[in-house]
Amino acid sequence: MSIDWIELIIVVVKALIVAFGLLIGFAYLTWFERRLVGRFQMRIGPNRVGPAGLLQPVADALKMFFKEDFVPGQADKPLFIMAPGIAMSAVLISFAVVPVGPSIRLFGREITLYLADVNVGMLVVIAVLSLGVYGIILGGWASNNKYSLLGGLRGAAQVISYELPYGLSLVGVFMLAGSLSLKDIVEAQARVPFIVLQPLAAIVFFFAAVAEANRSPFDLVEAENELVAGYHTEYSSIKFALYFMAEYISMIVASALMVTLFLGGWQGPFLPGIVWFFIKLVFMLFVFVWIRATWPRIRYDRLMAWSWKLLVPLSVANILVTAGALVLRDMGVF
Amino acid sequence: MVPADFLPILVLIIVAVGMSAIAIALSALLGPHKSTPTKLMPYESGMVPVGDARLRFSIRFFVVAILFILFDVEAIFFYPWAVYFRRLGLFALIQIVVFVGILFVGYFYAWRKGALEWE
């Protein structure tokens, strides 16, 4: 079997664009969030470094690199160093199957605006995203700090509570699209975005995605008024930054999934697909920040109860109702 | 051998892991290294730490973890069913009602037994 070298180079370039794009996305998401939260709290937010504070992320990144990077004395050294890398890699990889737009022609070649289109696309995303919690658990355990350990344990309990509604809420979408591939799901929404047909699934998925990204109001793993900084209490320098990046990039991934699965992905009138994708993405990110700025943190046992006793039955009911409606429709009742 | 569809994912795995490794290595090279015994102590709000952090933790976590494994394995059965649902029609609907029925017998049993209470 011969290798198509040009194809391989295209794939490598696309992988680098995805990875660095997400990094830049992360940097400007912190700026976006700080400015917005500033406005929500009647402040201005960072506006000193560069015009409108636009160079603030660059300054932060430089500062992070030159901070002292130390491993606490009693920590488990290899795990302590690896853990932030695991958290970061997992969220970066999960973006591989998200389609940003339809294919474009460049230099006479058909270039698809997604890295991979596999027939089990969404399963890959769920599998890889849930690996990210290993970063939190291992980091919390390796630090040998009580706050970190509690944060890590909470991370574990939270992920196992939220994975279920996260996975179950999507079954309705898969039934409508008849596929797990994200590209097929977007194409199935050519007429109606799935948020219209699956509003309950969209709501359940969004809450589960917020919890998956460990964002406020479900940011119990780092609840600063109980656990100092939770699982990353002992982390400094770029290792701390990697955890921070993992959290923000998983917010971007969650928004991209919302857009792809429920808001019709790149589809929209007049503008090119990729522009629509980014408009919807920024809107979802705004919703994330909005929730953070307005909702108080939910109590720990409430979160578990809410997930197990409300979201799981709701999403199963949604599956049954969708199935019933589809059967009636295919039999020609309506 | 990686199937061709999955090759780009493998490339992204290499890029992502490489990037994290380079970032960690860079900060170890660039930052200052002045460690003192107090700096290396676990942070406990400024107090001298009491005992070790390798504590035993609540059995509750274990119960929830077992429940999660049970339900997640069952949730994964929904996926192939959902993809082929339109082709199977009414038969698939009856199947899933029976399946969910059995699933929820276990679910309500766990609920009544208090496995979902966090206290």
Side-chain angles (χ1 to χ4, degrees):
Chain A
M1 191 192 118
S2 69
I3 303 170
D4 187 347
W5 286 104
I6 301 175
E7 270 311 310
L8 190 66
I9 291 169
I10 291 176
V11 165
V12 171
V13 169
K14 277 200 289 193
L16 288 173
I17 291 174
V18 167
F20 282 95
L22 282 175
L23 275 192
I24 295 166
F26 151 72
Y28 280 92
L29 182 55
T30 60
W31 173 83
F32 181 68
E33 183 183 36
R34 290 170 72 185
R35 293 287 289 187
L36 264 181
V37 170
R39 293 290 172 187
F40 275 115
Q41 297 170 347
M42 313 275 273
R43 298 182 283 117
I44 295 170
N47 67 343
R48 293 287 133 176
V49 194
L54 272 172
L55 293 178
Q56 185 72 43
V58 182
D60 287 342
L62 280 178
K63 184 190 76 176
M64 280 298 180
F65 269 109
F66 288 98
K67 284 284 177 187
E68 178 169 358
D69 183 20
F70 69 95
V71 180
Q74 294 165 347
D76 186 324
K77 203 169 175 189
L79 282 184
F80 187 84
I81 294 170
M82 263 165 54
I86 296 173
M88 172 71 177
S89 310
V91 285
L92 278 184
I93 296 162
S94 64
F95 207 81
V97 291
V98 178
V100 175
S103 53
I104 51 166
R105 288 196 73 80
L106 210 64
F107 309 120
R109 258 180 182 268
E110 192 81 12
I111 297 194
T112 51
L113 289 180
Y114 47 81
L115 200 56
D117 175 37
V118 293
N119 53 4
V120 289
M122 197 51 214
L123 209 54
V124 172
V125 175
I126 294 175
V128 175
L129 268 185
S130 45
L131 284 181
V133 78
Y134 281 105
I136 291 174
I137 301 171
L138 290 178
W141 188 81
S143 303
N144 200 12
N145 176 316
K146 287 163 199 132
Y147 297 121
S148 305
L149 183 73
L150 284 174
L153 282 176
R154 283 185 176 190
Q158 182 168 328
V159 88
I160 59 182
S161 297
Y162 267 87
E163 205 80 331
L164 267 182
Y166 192 88
L168 286 175
S169 62
L170 294 176
V171 175
V173 171
F174 301 149
M175 273 194 274
L176 290 176
S179 172
L180 289 176
S181 151
L182 291 173
K183 181 171 153 272
D184 293 350
I185 291 173
V186 172
E187 278 163 3
Q189 299 177 69
R191 278 173 52 230
V192 195
F194 283 160
I195 194 166
V196 181
L197 302 172
Q198 291 279 314
L200 188 64
I203 294 168
V204 172
F205 178 77
F206 185 66
F207 280 117
V210 174
E212 176 95 31
N214 295 322
R215 286 287 301 175
S216 177
F218 308 118
D219 55 346
L220 294 146
V221 291
E222 47 180 273
E224 65 271 2
N225 41 17
E226 317 160 35
L227 296 182
V228 186
Y231 61 99
H232 56 52
T233 305
E234 294 287 348
Y235 280 91
S236 64
S237 181
I238 211 75
K239 293 204 200 79
F240 166 75
L242 282 178
Y243 272 129
F244 215 70
M245 284 181 205
E247 181 184 328
Y248 278 76
I249 294 176
S250 75
M251 199 156 111
I252 298 177
V253 172
S255 304
L257 289 177
M258 260 317 270
V259 171
T260 312
L261 296 168
F262 293 105
L263 300 180
W266 70 73
Q267 314 222 24
F270 311 122
L271 295 167
I274 192 160
V275 178
W276 268 111
F277 183 84
F278 278 104
I279 291 173
K280 292 172 183 174
L281 185 69
V282 170
F283 171 73
M284 283 315 301
L285 290 172
F286 171 77
V287 174
F288 262 94
V289 178
W290 188 10
I291 288 176
R292 184 210 145 157
T294 43
W295 279 21
R297 183 177 296 127
I298 192 165
R299 212 175 69 203
Y300 186 61
D301 56 330
R302 293 261 179 92
L303 172 126
M304 312 270 292
W306 206 51
S307 158
W308 280 97
K309 294 179 183 170
L310 182 70
L311 295 186
V312 170
L314 264 186
S315 39
V316 173
N318 182 54
I319 294 172
L320 293 182
V321 171
T322 311
L326 276 178
V327 165
L328 287 181
R329 195 193 150 97
D330 288 352
M331 290 189 337
V333 176
F334 61 85
Chain B
M1 188 61 216
V2 185
D5 283 354
F6 286 89
L7 184 72
I9 300 182
L10 181 69
V11 173
L12 189 63
I13 290 175
I14 295 168
V15 169
V17 173
M19 213 145 109
S20 314
I22 290 171
I24 291 174
L26 261 185
S27 78
L29 291 176
L30 290 176
H33 292 279
K34 289 183 233 95
S35 66
T36 61
T38 8
K39 200 188 265 177
L40 294 181
M41 272 200 302
Y43 178 77
E44 244 167 63
S45 311
M47 311 289 281
V48 176
V50 183
D52 194 69
R54 309 267 188 254
L55 304 165
R56 285 191 267 178
F57 44 84
S58 171
I59 190 75
R60 284 280 157 214
F61 287 109
F62 181 73
V63 176
V64 175
I66 290 288
L67 276 180
F68 166 71
I69 291 174
L70 288 176
F71 281 96
D72 211 36
V73 168
E74 287 172 14
I76 219 70
F77 280 124
F78 280 104
Y79 281 36
W81 170 82
V83 172
Y84 275 91
F85 179 71
R86 300 296 287 261
R87 270 162 271 184
L88 298 174
L90 190 60
F91 176 59
L93 179 65
I94 295 165
Q95 265 185 330
I96 211 67
V97 169
V98 173
F99 180 71
V100 169
I102 296 170
L103 186 70
F104 268 61
V105 169
Y107 176 77
F108 285 114
Y109 176 75
W111 190 332
R112 284 294 296 275
K113 277 283 175 184
L116 303 181
E117 311 299 326
W118 197 264
E119 211 36 74

